[in-house]
Amino acid sequence: MAPNTSVSRRPAPAQPVRRRRGAGRGPADQQRQRTLISPAQLARPRGRAAYWIVLAPVSVLFTLAFLGPLYWMVTGGLKTTQEVVQSPPTAFPTSLHTENYSRAWTVMDLSRLLFNTLYYAFGALAFQLLFDVAAAYSLSKLRPVLGKVILGMMLATLMIPATVLVVPQYLTVLDVPIVQRNLLNSPWAIWLPSVTNAFNIFLLKRFFDSIPRELLDAAAIDGASALRTLRSVVLPISRPILGVVSIFAVVGVWKDFLWPMLTLPDPSRQTLNVGIYSLASGVPENVLIAALTIASVPTLIVFLLFQRNIMGGLTAGGLKG
């Protein structure tokens, strides 16, 4: 009988496993490491000191650049007329005159101007959501003939300064072709030009491009028309970008000055900015500054409330997975 030649082998000792740098980290951890200055450099005293030496002055400079005029405007409405015009200006009013704001509200009839501006802004919003969404959806999903040419012509208008288009737009609303109507002193002079917003159409189209085609095909198999697909499938998942377009539409009308001044000469129909400018020569400087502060409050509130929606809508994509 042959001897047993099998040799029992002891298991080899386990070798220490070396992980590659970055292995085992999730995508969120790896994303946090992709910064201009690595955590290793920040851990060193010299790197931490250089980081704060650069960050602190830049933060203070940008804070003063953006909040300095706002602070001057708010405090200017609390000063007397002599204190507003004196040189050098005071950093803080010697005595608070809050009655300047109530005086600006009544003397300049800001309630009427505010109502007019809201009326024009939300009317422009309604028309933009109606026509710009339809245009973007058609260019993105319906793919009409010469759709790329039309989109290219739309985007080309972004290269033209807005002031260059003022004269042809004014002549158009003065005597609208085909219908032969004069739109001056009417809200249509504000609403119709606001619809032709190539930037909003481009934002909407880019979002619609990211929506998977399978969703639209599934809706078509179920018998949904293109309009039903837009209403029941596309719009519910497009709320982020629709919120961004809505904010841009309202703020765009709110802050506009030149176009309402040309197309709304009637004082009873003017917007907030134009009305304040028209009445500026008849009120003291401190009351005028108070009126400008009141006019700025709504847009600041909108931005503070929806800043996350604005940033999230601009970077929003379609469905993933």
Side-chain angles (χ1 to χ4, degrees):
M1 183 176 180
N4 187 7
T5 58
S6 63
V7 180
S8 60
R9 298 181 179 180
R10 297 173 61 185
Q15 298 293 332
V17 179
R18 297 181 178 179
R19 291 194 308 176
R20 291 185 295 107
R21 186 176 182 179
R25 297 175 180 172
D29 295 333
Q30 296 180 5
Q31 186 69 23
R32 282 196 293 269
Q33 302 297 327
R34 299 172 185 173
T35 57
L36 184 62
I37 302 177
S38 65
Q41 291 175 326
L42 287 177
R44 302 170 184 171
R46 183 178 300 178
R48 190 183 305 109
Y51 173 78
W52 285 108
I53 289 174
V54 175
L55 178 64
V58 171
S59 301
V60 172
L61 180 62
F62 276 88
T63 301
L64 293 176
F66 287 101
L67 297 183
L70 182 62
Y71 171 79
W72 181 88
M73 183 174 62
V74 173
T75 57
L78 298 172
K79 299 177 181 179
T80 61
T81 306
Q82 292 77 14
E83 194 175 359
V84 168
V85 299
Q86 77 176 22
S87 182
T90 57
F92 192 79
T94 55
S95 60
L96 300 180
H97 296 271
T98 57
E99 68 274 5
N100 293 336
Y101 287 91
S102 59
R103 183 181 176 188
W105 181 269
T106 56
V107 172
M108 306 190 75
D109 199 8
L110 294 183
S111 59
R112 175 181 56 82
L113 298 176
L114 182 62
F115 173 79
N116 291 343
T117 308
L118 290 173
Y119 178 62
Y120 297 140
F122 284 98
L125 169 62
F127 280 101
Q128 285 195 35
L129 290 181
L130 178 63
F131 292 102
D132 290 358
V133 168
Y137 180 72
S138 301
L139 294 173
S140 175
K141 298 303 181 182
L142 301 185
R143 307 291 177 86
V145 179
L146 301 178
K148 293 184 178 180
V149 177
I150 297 174
L151 179 63
M153 295 175 63
M154 288 183 180
L155 296 180
T157 60
L158 297 176
M159 306 297 111
I160 304 175
T163 53
V164 177
L165 303 175
V166 169
V167 173
Q169 285 183 348
Y170 180 79
L171 295 177
T172 301
V173 299
L174 187 62
D175 187 12
V176 180
I178 301 176
V179 296
Q180 303 297 323
R181 290 289 302 275
N182 186 350
L183 300 181
L184 296 183
N185 283 323
S186 70
W188 297 102
I190 304 296
W191 293 342
L192 294 183
S194 66
V195 174
T196 58
N197 194 317
F199 180 71
N200 288 345
I201 294 176
F202 177 71
L203 283 181
L204 291 167
K205 181 185 178 300
R206 293 292 297 173
F207 187 91
F208 292 158
D209 289 341
S210 65
I211 297 177
R213 187 69 191 182
E214 290 77 7
L215 289 178
L216 307 184
D217 294 340
I221 293 175
D222 291 339
S225 62
L227 183 60
R228 178 63 183 275
T229 302
L230 173 63
R231 185 176 67 252
S232 303
V233 178
V234 176
L235 292 183
I237 62 178
S238 302
R239 291 176 182 174
I241 194 63
L242 292 179
V244 172
V245 170
S246 301
I247 295 172
F248 285 169
V250 173
V251 174
V253 175
W254 194 281
K255 69 178 184 179
D256 197 7
F257 172 75
L258 179 60
W259 183 249
M261 184 181 65
L262 294 175
T263 57
L264 301 171
D266 187 359
S268 63
R269 300 176 180 270
Q270 291 176 345
T271 60
L272 197 60
N273 294 334
V274 179
I276 292 176
Y277 172 78
S278 302
L279 301 173
S281 59
V283 296
E285 286 78 2
N286 55 346
V287 177
L288 175 61
I289 296 175
L292 294 174
T293 305
I294 295 174
S296 304
V297 167
T299 53
L300 291 176
I301 293 176
V302 168
F303 174 76
L304 293 176
L305 292 178
F306 299 102
Q307 58 177 333
R308 183 176 298 179
N309 302 76
I310 295 174
M311 301 306 299
L314 289 175
T315 59
L319 300 179
K320 296 182 180 180

